[in-house]
Amino acid sequence: MKIKILGCYAATPRTITNPTSQVLEIKNHMFLIDCGEGTQVQLRKHKIKFSRIEHIFISHLHGDHFFGLIGLISTFMLLGREKDLHIYGPKGIKEAILLLLKLGNAYTSYGLYFHELKATASEVVFEDDKVKVSTIPLQHRVYTNGFLFEEKVTERPLNINAILNYDIDKVYYNKIKQGGAITLENGQQIPNDLLTFEPSAPKSYAFCSDTMYSEKIVPLLTNTTVLYHESTFLENEIDLAEKTMHSTAKQAAKIAKLAAVKHLLLGHYSTRYGDIELFKKEAQEIFDNVLLADDGLEFEF
Amino acid sequence: MKIKILGCYAATPRTITNPTSQVLEIKNHMFLIDCGEGTQVQLRKHKIKFSRIEHIFISHLHGDHFFGLIGLISTFMLLGREKDLHIYGPKGIKEAILLLLKLGNAYTSYGLYFHELKATASEVVFEDDKVKVSTIPLQHRVYTNGFLFEEKVTERPLNINAILNYDIDKVYYNKIKQGGAITLENGQQIPNDLLTFEPSAPKSYAFCSDTMYSEKIVPLLTNTTVLYHESTFLENEIDLAEKTMHSTAKQAAKIAKLAAVKHLLLGHYSTRYGDIELFKKEAQEIFDNVLLADDGLEFEF
């Protein structure tokens, strides 16, 4: 599981900082999460193939998370994309994108599917045999969702040498992958753990931006491998955090601790702070395993 | 008169090329012309003060001329701008911007005025005592206008030494600036040219992007100081130019010659060509005084 940070700064794009956008590579999917202005250029800069992006998740309709989407959709069109594209985001996103396309007299060369969200409880928005994506309802100035990406429990990898040793027929391989034991023709029982290896534990990534401090999300985040939680401010600006419905680094750490996540990844920094190490320092007073997102960084778990 | 090129490439923003946007500095105005994605970052990069921009002219609603506008409007709002902002652009632009603001639950802190255009003949869209701006109807795949920016004939600068010599009262200064002669108390007639200097010739800038070759615009452009005319393609791609309703460098030069402009400034290059000098070479077969726009360049006339 890899997380590439295309942008992780709050409010307005600048020459050296980009608004929110990330690419999550998980089980051969490349999920794009949020799409601030300039995201298409960031994707090019980091040599991420446009064709690998088939699902885009938009947390909310503030510009720094969303204004790059129409440009990306248009560029896909100009490049003659044929592959379907799925957009998951708040109700209203479809009307906005379609109006902008209509004004440009433009029609996509590919299937463009909108999955509009309006539920206030967590819901599954994407699922296949390897990954499940569900919403994390957040508290912000407009309707906002985080997203939880979970690998499914994988099949047990076959121990091919052992299987050949017991001369087991291929028709049983699927049963073995699912954890089943085998009875040989001579009646001997072979337990599954002699025929397979332990699969790696399924990983999960929770993206939570933007949100005020809210413990309501903790049950959804429990034992998550990586929690990206916004930390727009430091604790000395907690009044501003409350007023704008954002979080401090310390509050992000509190959520990480309550949910017993493995790693906390901070981001969505206000550009008023010169040194983002301050966010890490503050969070580590509460929770040890803190990482700092920054534009262009990639994290592998 | 200065023209700063923020971006002058066609179609999609890339790491090293930007979509169309320019700043025209004329008679103390800073007019922003077109606003592709990333324009606000280009403005920051070139240290153009946001507060000096009070009028934005949008030629048409294709993304590479327009998708940066909502981000700029939002950033002005986040920075607490108070000064009015005027947007001139095709009908529909207001609905699009207001929908995007509404979805973000955002209201501008400043007066945001839309001047929607739908006329197919040239019309004056802005005028004060120093400058007049009128539309140049263009032929493209969607409703498109170029813009003609004209300095007004200025008042004649006073020759203060001469005026003091004749002991002329201040109440006559305005009359003299307007070119009037003066009769002294002793009945002596003083012709205006003894009391004033020759004013500099008024300059003009015509922005024509995007358009197919059309001689209909020539009468509007006659004797323009600088004509920016798109040249998306070279003559070897004239079929593609016709199909997409764009122009070649040679066609741009033909218009420059027919209109007897002083300088032709080329831009809106397709990124398929490695070397933009090819555009200059082709245009100069028809018209001598050719300049090449490029991102970050500034031209002073």
Side-chain angles (χ1 to χ4, degrees), chain A residues 12-13 15 37-38 40-41 44-45 61-62 66-68 70-71 74-75 78 92 96 99-100 103-105 141-142, chain B residues 12-15 37-38 40-41 44-45 61-62 66-68 70-71 74-75 78 92 96 99-100 103-105 141-142:
Chain A
T12 70
T15 46
E37 185 175 350
Q40 60 174 311
V41 174
R44 284 188 192 271
K45 191 171 163 187
L61 299 183
H62 279 158
F66 160 57
F67 285 167
I70 178 63
S74 296
T75 290
L78 288 170
L99 174 61
L100 291 167
L103 288 174
N105 199 20
R141 304 194 305 276
V142 291
Chain B
T12 69
R14 291 165 172 256
T15 47
E37 185 175 351
Q40 61 174 310
V41 173
R44 284 188 191 272
K45 192 172 163 188
L61 300 183
H62 279 159
F66 161 56
F67 285 167
I70 178 63
S74 296
T75 290
L78 288 169
L99 174 61
L100 290 167
L103 288 174
N105 199 21
R141 305 193 304 277
V142 292

Side-chain angles (χ1 to χ4, degrees), chain A residues 26-27 29 31 126-132 150 152:
Chain A
I26 185 170
K27 292 281 177 190
H29 284 291
F31 293 131
F126 173 81
E127 186 162 20
D128 66 8
D129 55 335
K130 295 200 173 109
V131 183
K132 189 174 85 171
E150 295 173 281
K152 292 193 173 176

Side-chain angles (χ1 to χ4, degrees), chain B residues 199-233:
Chain B
S200 52
K203 294 173 187 132
S204 54
Y205 178 60
F207 171 87
C208 296
S209 183
D210 301 9
T211 187
M212 63 181 282
Y213 178 77
S214 166
E215 295 179 6
K216 279 189 196 158
I217 61 177
V218 169
L220 294 169
L221 305 178
T222 304
N223 297 323
T224 296
T225 314
V226 186
L227 165 63
Y228 175 92
H229 193 292
E230 73 125 295
S231 56
T232 308
F233 299 106

